[in-house]
Amino acid sequence: MLRSLLRSFSSVAGVGTPVLGSSGVLGAEPLVARAFRKFSAMAGVTLEERGTPNTDDYRIYYRNAAGPISPFHDIPLYADEEKKIFNMVVEVPRWTNAKMEIATGERLNPIKQDTKKGKLRYVANVFPHHGYIWNYGALPQTWENPHSTDESTGCKGDNDPIDVCELGTKVCRRGEVIQVKVLGVLAMIDEGETDWKLLAINTDDPLADKLHDVSDVEKHLPGYLQATVEWFRLYKVPDGKPENQFAFSGAAKDRDFAHGVISETAGHWRELVSGKADAHGLDTHAVTVDSAQMKLTVAEAEALLAAAPSLHPPAALDGANVNKVHFLAAKAS
């Protein structure tokens, strides 16, 4: 058994956060103060930023041609069900640190930055990694049910939509909705809860024609799977938490297994949104889902968005803290 010893050092030259605009885009344009800013997320869907980036009131809302929608409930799971192509909501672009997530407990479920004890959360840089090493996000219309024990892991779900690590070559934009092929899945156990991590590739990526199953990842992206397991195992250690564990000894399961996990979590979501399952603190209001027990009219959704704070220039970032690099030395116990 291994015990990790932690040492922290300030970032050295060449190791730092990429220059980001307000939307989390590498090299993005400066933010102009106005009520809100819109940009495209996918065909027929736009994003609307509100509040002050780098503060706890910053939000990214979604709307279709009719009005505001929830990225959790109203964006379809499938882009092409027959071909098993899924919509993925990108919460965190690759190489960035801000722990952005779908606000599952808020009406309209915008993207926001997670907080802990009143402070914004940034993922720690555990050497040699910096920030998230993939485009990270979730599949809409899925739910890891905290009331249901998973047969494979023996643990209940973590009360979130299922997570996705997009392995392609592009750096996506925060909030973007991309179409992905799922290649496999890791079964992480996070503080006693099942936290599936899907492995996927953007269908627009140059590697999409080469990656079809988890076995193709090591062939074309050698070392990426091992780095992914290591990243998830260690990323909470700098915060004083134990290493995360994995079912299947950390081995990634294949595409067919992953599709089965998605199908199961989609079934749990249908129970959630229809009111057949305890919501466990989640907001289940939907605008476009016919089976939803809690419905929002377009007018109600517009009123909610109109009440959100205006968009302002980003607040100053604590770069020294965000860029800190943590070195973990393994020691046999």
Side-chain angles (χ1 to χ4, degrees):
M1 182 177 180
L2 298 179
R3 177 181 300 166
S4 293
L5 300 179
L6 178 63
R7 293 178 295 158
S8 299
F9 295 88
S10 296
S11 177
V12 296
V15 182
T17 303
V19 177
L20 297 176
S22 64
S23 62
V25 187
L26 292 170
E29 73 283 1
L31 179 65
V32 178
R34 53 179 153 170
F36 57 84
R37 185 175 68 166
K38 293 182 180 180
F39 52 97
S40 177
M42 62 180 286
V45 176
T46 56
L47 306 184
E48 190 168 311
E49 297 178 282
R50 294 296 189 113
T52 303
N54 304 327
T55 73
D56 61 5
D57 79 347
Y58 177 67
R59 299 289 187 275
I60 300 176
Y61 290 90
Y62 289 70
R63 61 165 65 242
N64 62 14
I69 58 173
S70 160
F72 186 9
H73 304 305
D74 292 311
I75 291 177
L77 170 60
Y78 288 100
D80 187 327
E81 187 169 2
E82 183 177 354
K83 295 181 179 180
K84 293 289 197 299
I85 303 298
F86 302 90
N87 286 315
M88 171 187 171
V89 177
V90 178
E91 298 164 312
V92 187
R94 180 190 279 113
W95 312 134
T96 63
N97 296 73
K99 193 177 188 303
M100 308 300 293
E101 61 184 15
I102 294 172
T104 55
E106 293 185 15
R107 201 68 43 90
L108 288 176
N109 311 117
I111 288 181
K112 69 170 185 177
Q113 188 166 353
D114 190 23
T115 60
K116 183 176 182 181
K117 296 181 179 179
K119 294 184 178 181
L120 296 173
R121 291 186 65 189
Y122 296 90
V123 71
N125 303 302
V126 177
F127 185 83
H129 309 300
H130 190 283
Y132 287 74
I133 63 173
W134 349 255
N135 295 301
Y136 190 69
L139 295 188
Q141 298 188 342
T142 62
W143 180 47
E144 296 196 56
N145 190 344
H147 310 292
S148 176
T149 300
D150 189 274
E151 292 183 2
S152 299
T153 66
C155 298
K156 295 180 179 179
D158 71 349
N159 201 36
D160 282 325
I162 194 167
D163 296 323
V164 189
C165 303
E166 193 280 314
L167 309 178
T169 58
K170 300 179 180 180
V171 175
C172 292
R173 179 166 53 192
R174 180 185 294 167
E176 188 176 359
V177 181
I178 62 175
Q179 287 66 57
V180 299
K181 293 193 302 184
V182 170
L183 310 172
V185 65
L186 292 166
M188 192 176 89
I189 309 301
D190 186 353
E191 298 184 33
E193 296 177 332
T194 301
D195 192 0
W196 293 105
K197 305 296 182 184
L198 295 171
L199 307 169
I201 183 72
N202 189 338
T203 56
D204 286 340
D205 196 273
L207 288 172
D209 290 337
K210 298 179 179 179
L211 301 179
H212 305 288
D213 210 326
V214 72
S215 58
D216 297 321
V217 177
E218 186 61 26
K219 178 180 179 181
H220 295 284
L221 299 170
Y224 210 173
L225 283 179
Q226 181 181 351
T228 295
V229 172
E230 177 187 65
W231 193 98
F232 280 120
R233 182 171 62 85
L234 297 176
Y235 82 102
K236 288 187 176 182
V237 174
D239 296 326
K241 293 189 175 182
E243 296 180 2
N244 285 320
Q245 304 300 313
F246 291 86
F248 312 116
S249 301
K253 304 298 285 185
D254 65 13
R255 175 188 60 191
D256 290 341
F257 187 97
H259 286 162
V261 172
I262 295 170
S263 179
E264 183 177 18
T265 58
H268 288 313
W269 171 82
R270 287 191 292 271
E271 294 176 349
L272 170 71
V273 80
S274 65
K276 296 178 181 177
D278 178 3
H280 208 74
L282 305 185
D283 191 288
T284 61
H285 286 79
V287 180
T288 65
V289 180
D290 292 336
S291 61
Q293 181 186 50
M294 309 299 288
K295 294 280 289 186
L296 280 176
T297 66
V298 172
E300 289 170 334
E302 290 283 13
L304 285 166
L305 186 48
S310 298
L311 182 63
H312 295 283
L317 189 66
D318 182 4
N321 184 50
V322 174
N323 288 337
K324 182 183 291 185
V325 178
H326 302 270
F327 292 83
L328 300 181
K331 180 181 179 180
S333 59

